[in-house]
Amino acid sequence: MSPRTEPSGTAPTTLSRQVPEKVGLDGLEERWDATWETDGTYRFDADAPAESIYSIDTPPPTVSGSLHVGHVFSYTHTDVVARYRRMRGAEVFYPMGWDDNGLPTERRVQNYYGVRCDPTLPYVPGFVPPHEGTDGKAVKPADQVPVSRPNFIELCERLSAQDEQQFESLWRYLGLSVDWSRTYQTIGDSARAVAQQAFLRNLARGEAYQQLAPGLWDVTFQTAVAQAELEARDYPGHFYKVAFHGEGGPVHIETTRPELLPACVALIAHPDDERYQPLFGTTVRSPLFDVEIPVLAHPAAEPDKGAGIAMCCTFGDLTDVQWWRELRLPNRTVVGRDGRLERTTPEWLTGDGAAVYAELAGKTTFSAREAVVAALRTAGDLDGEPTPTMRKANFYEKGDKPLEIVSSRQWYIRNGGRDEDLRAALLARAEELEFHPGFMRVRYENWVGGLNGDWLISRQRFFGVPFPVWYALDAAGEPLYDTPLVPTEEQLPVDPSSDVPEGYAADQRGVPGGFVGDSDIMDTWATSSLTPQIACGWRDDPALFTKTFPMSLRPQGQDIIRTWLFSTVVRSHLEHGSLPWSHAGISGWILDPDRKKMSKSKGNVVTPMGLLTEHGSDAVRYWAASAKLGTDAAFEVGQMKIGRRLAIKVLNASKFALSFGAPDAPVSLDPATVTVPLDRAMLAGLAEVVDQATAALESYDHTRALEVTETFFWTFCDDYLELVKDRAYGGLRRGKSELARSSEPIDGVDERSEEHAADINPAGAESARTALALALDVMLRLFAPVLPFATEEVWSWWREGSVHRQPWPDAAPLRAAAGDAPPGIVVSAGAALAALRKVKSEAKLSMRTEVSSVRLTIPTDAAEGVRAALADVRAAGRVTGDLDLVTGDVPAPVADDAVLVTS
RNA sequence: GGGCGAUUGGCUCAGUGGUAGAGCGCCUCGUUCACACCGAGGAGGUCACUGGUUCGAACCCAGUAUCGCCCACCA
């Protein structure tokens, strides 16, 4: 464990000289970041015992994108947890990852360097990209220079490294207490090896498999798309009423995709639909193509949708896939991977049908649709005019054309989508996981309950983790997909496009009897789902892995529960038979002032660095920490200003609290010197705050902890500090005239004099000074997780070490110091002071106006408290003459009959 | 269509059974011997709506409306 300084003990500390004359927030970020780095304040100690470790599965931000306010928001939440746990005595394992994997990086490299990947090209050593930087403008696809895959990947890595630097500086400026010596990349060798090893083990256990099956396909990106990456969008189209030819007359169906008519394999209606019951089991013939089509019953058909009978094509939508699978229909796919109709006429079309198809071959679905509609109209098989409709179509979340469903060979990992037992097991895992807030669990359960297939993990792209498999080629040069060749785990990571499988020579690549590498890469989530294994050193550092896994906390956004959170649970369940972490902290969204989700496209994204430099990191952190987990928060500069004000107040109040006594006198932290009831009562209140803040943070409620601390702090400044400052000065600084008559007796102090009590009772002054120091010591630690810079600054004025390595405050010593002092004294005395202030405020006079006589009526139950602190109340209220204290039936203290001395 | 969340003073939000809270903003005043990135005081709300439970409801129950997010023959 790292060395810690002692908890607030009795050792005096002499640093009042080091309190700066003028305090401020500017420059604290750079200064303390540098110090923390030098001192290794947040360095993880790998020798710490396993039970002391708190490990955080930090979300690796996508470095090809830009950080926005939402990142600052949620990463602050995590940092508050990390700092709290560290102060609670945990050794916090808090690494940072960089997600530089996948399509976003590819795209950014294309735009930034003006290149595109052409896997057929050879590697060019020392390649210089034609362009560098975006200047706010991307290089158009037509102007992009084709480069080899290795060159392309080099550029991806180069740009990622640059981006990571920028990200790290921002995070450091924000004050994330990450151990920066432990960063990982999702595309680094280590992460690649982890992803490949996990995949190979899934493969060996039968959890990963390859299948030729219809799947969602993006014709623009030319890649398969997983269920989790779908986005349903409104898409305009038309309903076409088309006549099929039956023996008893035409059967009309309505379709939005008439171009799929040649792919029609059945007409389907609901089994209970009396209109179509007579047709079940019979066949009809399709218009134009004259193919014999069975009429079938299936409960998924909706009687009130369209004509109530649907044309099932291979494949128009996911329902078609379901029918095709469940009714064991033939596959008559006509749409190819490029989004165009197959160029060769399908075998099931003959005669006139083949002739019609010849007109469609090679056309996009859009032009094919027009052609088919025109032909239907000519043939008289189009009933009425098409009616416009807005339908929901599936899109790849990054694409702009509706997805097609095509058959392709893809890799899958079992995730319970086709297996009830596994699904139940994964739902049971969610029961074990503590979600913060708890209702987020429902999102997981809904998603898992609604899965309709296994997890598609293969992508037909270039930059990513390749599948570590090769296929032997038979004598005809056809790959033997069922028996993939795999490397050993020691060989990982491998790139099957350049590495050669065991038992083969490089020149056998692609030749009959030789081998070929799998050309796909893994879905980005296939790697991201392994962040715990990557961060904890599953492959590279088994000792670390044993200590840190399963991890303590996964912080993340609510939008990726179905992707990142779920897929991580899947991988961990399959590989380790456990949850990957025990807690999941879900942050909400940042919304615009008009309650819309903030996004780049709306042009309202504020750059985080600008925010941090303008308001200060503590201020921005305060805004973030004021929002509960799981709750959307408004982007509100006002809240940051409040945070800034708080941070400044912490500096100023601390400076003030440390300024009493002789300049070189030690600051006492000895609780025994706190003898005055008011001071003890303040400490009793603080003890309560410590308990509440601790309980709140233990249940991942940082807003509550901040709120109680902040409320106490402001009362401390406005009331307690005002009440005791004269006494704490001990007459050393002020002229005595003002104070000469603050002569009420002070409990625990036996002298009474016409002089200020503290002048002849140093114990009263000492009590206040020590109480101030003790309270400051505790409050700094309570604020430290949210305001790391201001608290560290103050700590450095008078204490040793970093506040961030201090133990979290404990209420017990405060209670011991407080003894049996009635805790209500601070409240009662504060209310009495407020009454005196009100008199002056209403008389529109300065708060420093002297009161030569006043009657103070206080609630009966406050009497004891006010009496106990009467000298301080008099001093703070500048009551220089008679103070007639009476009790009465009033809700709060009232001052009247005041005689104010105006000068 | 389903799920989840939200609806409290002009704004941002606390408050889960006992006479409505905070900060910002606003109004009035003060102040530069911790803090003008300041201080004090004040005004301002029938807690979205309708029913119900209860001695008592912002809070519990049912329904409605509006907003947000997620999902969508599976719900």
Side-chain angles (χ1 to χ4, degrees), chain A residues 92-299:
Chain A
V92 175
F93 181 66
Y94 186 15
M96 179 64 71
W98 307 117
D99 188 10
D100 33 25
N101 192 8
L103 272 175
T105 298
E106 275 191 38
R107 271 193 157 179
R108 179 155 151 76
V109 164
Q110 289 171 353
N111 295 335
Y112 190 91
Y113 291 118
V115 298
R116 68 184 154 82
C117 181
D118 184 344
T120 62
L121 294 176
Y123 177 68
V124 178
F127 173 77
V128 178
H131 192 269
E132 180 136 5
T134 57
D135 310 330
K137 247 195 159 145
V139 178
K140 290 193 190 98
D143 301 333
Q144 291 168 353
V145 176
V147 298
S148 73
R149 175 164 158 159
N151 283 115
F152 190 80
I153 290 176
E154 273 181 10
L155 293 174
C156 288
E157 287 171 345
R158 191 201 295 182
L159 188 55
S160 297
Q162 278 179 32
D163 291 338
E164 284 157 20
Q165 264 324 105
Q166 285 206 352
F167 275 44
E168 184 176 326
S169 352
L170 179 71
W171 287 147
R172 283 173 171 277
Y173 197 91
L174 178 63
L176 296 191
S177 61
V178 160
D179 181 348
W180 292 107
S181 69
R182 293 180 179 272
T183 59
Y184 65 85
Q185 302 171 311
T186 55
I187 196 62
D189 273 355
S190 168
R192 270 216 304 277
V194 166
Q196 292 186 334
Q197 177 167 321
F199 169 78
L200 288 176
R201 293 200 181 179
N202 290 138
L203 182 61
R205 288 191 297 260
E207 295 149 1
Y209 62 92
Q210 208 176 13
Q211 194 178 42
L212 181 63
L216 292 158
W217 183 269
D218 187 288
V219 298
T220 310
F221 287 93
Q222 292 278 301
T223 184
V225 175
Q227 184 185 354
E229 288 171 308
L230 294 185
E231 205 170 272
R233 296 184 202 154
D234 287 322
Y235 192 68
H238 289 84
F239 273 122
Y240 302 89
K241 200 166 181 186
V242 176
F244 279 65
H245 307 155
E247 298 209 348
V251 179
H252 289 100
I253 59 101
E254 286 194 52
T255 179
T256 56
R257 302 204 55 187
E259 73 276 17
L260 292 178
L261 206 49
C264 181
V265 291
L267 297 191
I268 296 174
H270 194 276
D272 299 337
D273 194 328
E274 293 177 2
R275 292 171 294 176
Y276 299 106
Q277 279 171 350
L279 292 175
F280 294 149
T282 70
T283 62
V284 294
R285 301 197 75 83
S286 60
L288 302 184
F289 302 99
D290 200 36
V291 174
E292 185 171 18
I293 305 287
V295 182
L296 303 171
H298 192 279

Side-chain angles (χ1 to χ4, degrees), chain A residues 445-737:
Chain A
E445 291 168 347
N446 285 349
W447 175 254
V448 176
L451 288 170
N452 59 19
D454 280 332
W455 176 16
L456 170 71
I457 58 164
S458 46
R459 288 304 128 86
Q460 290 66 52
R461 302 299 299 173
F462 318 111
F463 183 57
V465 179
F467 284 88
V469 296
W470 299 266
Y471 307 103
L473 296 177
D474 65 14
E478 286 299 313
L480 303 173
Y481 288 116
D482 293 339
T483 51
L485 309 168
V486 298
T488 63
E489 291 185 352
E490 288 68 35
Q491 292 172 297
L492 301 177
V494 298
D495 182 350
S497 72
S498 52
D499 295 326
V500 175
E502 195 72 23
Y504 289 85
D507 60 6
Q508 288 180 279
R509 185 183 295 275
V511 302
F515 73 97
V516 66
D518 191 310
S519 58
D520 288 354
I521 60 161
M522 295 182 198
D523 168 20
T524 182
W525 297 113
T527 307
S528 301
S529 61
L530 296 163
T531 49
Q533 290 83 352
I534 295 167
C536 297
W538 179 48
R539 253 181 74 89
D540 305 333
D541 192 344
L544 177 69
F545 187 75
T546 306
K547 283 186 174 183
T548 53
F549 185 92
M551 304 183 83
S552 311
L553 174 68
R554 155 62 70 83
Q556 66 162 77
Q558 55 185 311
D559 54 329
I560 50 178
I561 289 174
R562 70 183 204 277
T563 49
W564 193 34
L565 191 145
F566 174 58
S567 63
T568 311
V569 171
V570 169
R571 301 308 287 276
S572 178
H573 175 78
L574 295 176
E575 182 62 43
H576 309 288
S578 77
L579 273 179
W581 354 260
S582 43
H583 297 265
I586 311 294
S587 291
W589 287 113
I590 296 308
L591 305 176
D592 280 351
D594 65 357
R595 311 303 299 169
K596 296 277 189 271
K597 179 182 153 190
M598 266 212 163
S599 71
K600 222 183 214 171
S601 58
K602 296 197 183 81
N604 51 15
V605 168
V606 186
T607 70
M609 201 42 136
L611 269 187
L612 295 181
T613 51
E614 182 184 349
H615 301 283
S617 291
D618 279 348
V620 177
R621 290 174 62 103
Y622 172 89
W623 160 73
S626 302
K628 290 191 283 198
L629 284 178
T631 300
D632 295 344
F635 173 73
E636 228 218 335
V637 171
Q639 200 67 13
M640 296 173 199
K641 293 189 169 152
I642 296 164
R644 184 173 178 85
R645 194 182 65 149
L646 174 63
I648 291 170
K649 192 79 172 180
V650 166
L651 295 180
N652 280 307
S654 301
K655 175 183 144 198
F656 189 48
L658 293 170
S659 71
F660 301 112
D664 295 330
V667 176
S668 168
L669 287 168
D670 178 4
T673 60
V674 182
T675 53
V676 175
L678 177 68
D679 303 335
R680 295 180 147 209
M682 183 275 292
L683 294 179
L686 183 54
E688 192 56 33
V689 168
V690 168
D691 280 343
Q692 287 177 14
T694 306
L697 283 163
E698 280 299 311
S699 55
Y700 292 80
D701 185 357
H702 51 255
T703 57
R704 177 85 189 129
L706 174 58
E707 188 192 335
V708 296
T709 306
E710 191 185 2
T711 302
F712 180 88
F713 174 70
W714 282 107
T715 306
F716 174 85
C717 291
D718 295 344
D719 292 346
Y720 179 75
L721 209 36
E722 291 296 325
L723 282 167
V724 303
K725 68 183 182 186
D726 285 323
R727 176 156 55 88
Y729 271 127
L732 289 169
R733 290 197 179 178
R734 287 178 177 273
K736 288 181 184 173
S737 60

Side-chain angles (χ1 to χ4, degrees), chain A residues 757-792:
Chain A
D759 290 342
I760 56 165
N761 263 309
E766 191 59 26
S767 175
R769 289 174 198 157
T770 303
L772 286 169
L774 283 171
L776 183 60
D777 171 85
V778 169
M779 286 189 295
L780 288 174
R781 286 184 277 157
L782 291 174
F783 275 132
V786 176
L787 309 174
F789 295 103
T791 53
E792 186 75 321

